[in-house]
Amino acid sequence: MKGRVAVVVKGYPRLSETFIAQEILALERRGLDLLIVSLRHPTDGAIHDLHAAIKAPVLYLPEYLKDDPQRVRRGRAVAQTLPGYRAAEAIYRRDLARDPTASRHRRWGQAAVLAAELPADVSQLYVHFLHTPASVTCYAATLRGLPFAFSAHAKDIYTTPTWELREKIAASRWGVTCTAYNHHVLSELADAPGKVDLVYHGLDPAPFDAPDRRGRGGPFTILSVCRAVEKKGLDDVIHALARLPRDLDWRFGHMGGGSLVPHLKTLAARLGLADRVTFTGTAPRKTVVAALARADAFVLASRVAKNGDRDGIPNVLMEAMVMGLPVVSTKVSAVPELVTPATGILVEPRDRGALGEALARLAADPSLREAMGREGEARVKAHFSPKPGIDRLIQRFEDSQTADLAA
């Protein structure tokens, strides 16, 4: 395929977004020439092996306009000379009237820098997330007269106003989303049938070797890997742990960053669980894989946050399942598209009693854990391979270029 694709992301690299790194690497290996554009510099202290394998260069935009005023001024001066300036400014002004925030002003400034600095060989833009990154991408694409496409996930869909989702979909050439639940929502807002595709991220099972769990001794070990934020429901997990049978020898570990970690540590101490609960912070994937190999069960108590944010299909659930772990999660969003009664136990969100009962049930029945783990591994490998999604993305990129050549 001729012409580079600029992949716009919120931040790069990010440990919590392995699905984006997996997709970028797969597209590279299929022959796409990519440029990664990041709205933020990295903040994690480590990277995944996926990130190390990616060869695409990264263009970092100024996260805040005050960070590099000279660069922003230069970008705005160039933007004003571009043929799409009037159309892009009209979109920005219309958006600003409904969202008069500093964030909206920053998106316009970042878009000017991107449009001014985008290499001439870029023929398409492709953005992950329909909120802030898509605004920057839409403005920049309009300035440069280029098509853009999007990949929508979870928070970006459910915390963005309907008017904004509808207009961004209309402005885009095409889009994809990663769950059937999301696909229904976005298809209802789309300006044309078939504009938005369902493309599961899938999981490459190669880095995950499922261990033989028979004959394991020691405490019943429960793991959760996620950011400590409201929608992950970690406080519900801590309360559920406090309901486990008194005679059960168990341990719980959390891996991931997040602002709620101090609160969760305090909660665990208040409930008398501090000696059984550990928080190890963010970690590269090989460390996560090692922790999954030591665990007996995986828990993720997803729920809808107060601002509407929610999970789609968390990659960590697929990772746990492909390693032969039974999972306990909730009937939120698209989680039931992955987790079935044969592979885990789903409870209603915020039901701490049911969550505790599910964990206790798994702790008491090693044969059930083994059966669920076996079925979960088979389900991920059979139904959540990343190849069909990458095939569809490649086709979309090629169709878009063909349409431009024919125009």
Side-chain angles (χ1 to χ4, degrees):
M1 192 181 82
K2 295 181 180 179
R4 240 193 313 180
V5 176
V7 181
V8 184
V9 295
K10 187 168 44 180
Y12 182 86
R14 298 189 77 192
L15 289 175
S16 62
E17 293 176 355
T18 55
F19 58 94
I20 293 179
Q22 174 181 275
E23 181 182 284
I24 289 173
L25 183 58
L27 291 173
E28 270 195 343
R29 288 175 172 172
R30 292 288 294 273
L32 260 66
D33 189 5
L34 303 177
L35 167 70
I36 299 169
V37 178
S38 178
L39 275 59
R40 301 175 183 170
H41 283 267
T43 56
D44 295 325
I47 63 171
H48 290 305
D49 51 349
L50 289 167
H51 297 120
I54 291 169
K55 296 181 174 60
V58 185
L59 170 63
Y60 288 101
L61 301 180
E63 181 174 353
Y64 295 99
L65 305 186
K66 62 179 178 59
D67 293 343
D68 196 341
Q70 184 175 353
R71 188 179 174 198
V72 174
R73 283 195 299 271
R74 185 169 60 249
R76 284 176 168 160
V78 172
Q80 289 175 4
T81 69
L82 297 174
Y85 181 79
R86 287 190 177 182
E89 186 183 37
I91 297 171
Y92 162 63
R93 294 294 178 190
R94 187 170 67 243
D95 292 348
L96 185 64
R98 292 170 291 187
D99 177 34
T101 62
S103 174
R104 181 67 60 177
H105 179 71
R106 183 167 69 248
R107 296 175 210 180
W108 176 240
Q110 288 179 313
V113 174
L114 174 55
E117 298 182 5
L118 199 64
D121 62 346
V122 170
S123 61
Q124 305 179 55
L125 289 84
Y126 172 63
V127 59
H128 278 277
F129 299 109
L130 264 177
H131 50 356
T132 300
S135 294
V136 174
T137 303
C138 178
Y139 301 151
T142 305
L143 284 164
R144 290 292 297 266
L146 295 173
F148 81 92
F150 66 84
S151 180
H153 301 286
K155 179 179 181 179
D156 53 318
I157 300 172
Y158 301 106
T159 63
T160 301
T162 299
W163 64 262
E164 190 168 1
L165 292 174
R166 195 186 302 276
E167 291 177 12
K168 284 175 178 173
I169 295 171
S172 69
R173 177 70 60 83
W174 53 270
V176 298
T177 190
C178 53
T179 71
Y181 184 95
N182 292 346
H183 185 254
H184 174 74
V185 172
L186 296 180
S187 294
E188 290 291 310
L189 299 175
D191 55 309
K195 190 167 192 177
V196 182
D197 273 351
L198 168 59
V199 173
Y200 286 119
H201 294 307
L203 182 74
D204 177 6
F208 303 91
D209 292 322
D212 185 349
R213 301 188 176 281
R214 289 171 295 184
R216 278 201 72 227
F220 176 63
T221 303
I222 309 160
L223 181 66
S224 190
V225 182
C226 61
R227 289 179 299 123
V229 295
E230 183 189 359
K231 71 177 179 179
K232 300 298 183 179
L234 283 165
D235 55 337
D236 294 329
V237 173
I238 300 298
H239 280 283
L241 294 172
R243 299 173 182 232
L244 290 176
R246 292 182 179 275
D247 60 348
L248 176 64
D249 187 13
W250 60 268
R251 299 292 185 275
F252 171 75
H254 169 258
M255 301 185 76
S259 60
L260 294 182
V261 168
H263 165 73
L264 294 167
K265 288 181 177 179
T266 300
L267 176 63
R270 180 166 61 81
L271 295 176
L273 308 178
D275 59 340
R276 297 187 180 195
V277 174
T278 59
F279 297 87
T280 56
T282 58
R285 188 165 67 174
K286 63 180 180 180
T287 305
V288 174
V289 169
L292 287 167
R294 295 190 299 268
D296 294 296
F298 188 90
V299 63
L300 188 69
S302 302
R303 68 192 195 213
V304 179
K306 294 183 181 68
N307 67 351
D309 189 14
R310 68 201 72 181
D311 279 328
I313 297 180
N315 255 40
V316 290
L317 285 177
M318 284 191 279
E319 292 171 2
M321 289 167 65
V322 85
M323 288 194 66
L325 280 174
V327 299
V328 176
S329 193
T330 56
K331 302 173 184 177
V332 163
S333 186
V335 172
E337 294 177 41
L338 173 67
V339 181
T340 69
T343 65
I345 303 173
L346 294 181
V347 303
E348 295 297 329
R350 303 305 304 266
D351 190 337
R352 296 167 175 175
L355 199 63
E357 289 171 7
L359 292 170
R361 181 184 169 197
L362 291 179
D365 195 340
S367 63
L368 177 63
R369 298 200 301 268
E370 183 181 346
M372 285 184 167
R374 187 169 56 248
E375 290 293 327
E377 180 185 356
R379 177 165 174 75
V380 171
K381 289 180 177 178
H383 300 288
F384 291 89
S385 165
K387 184 179 182 301
I390 297 300
D391 288 345
R392 184 56 182 152
L393 285 175
I394 293 289
Q395 187 63 55
R396 281 290 212 173
F397 285 124
E398 291 178 347
D399 289 348
S400 184
Q401 185 175 75
T402 300
D404 288 335
L405 291 174

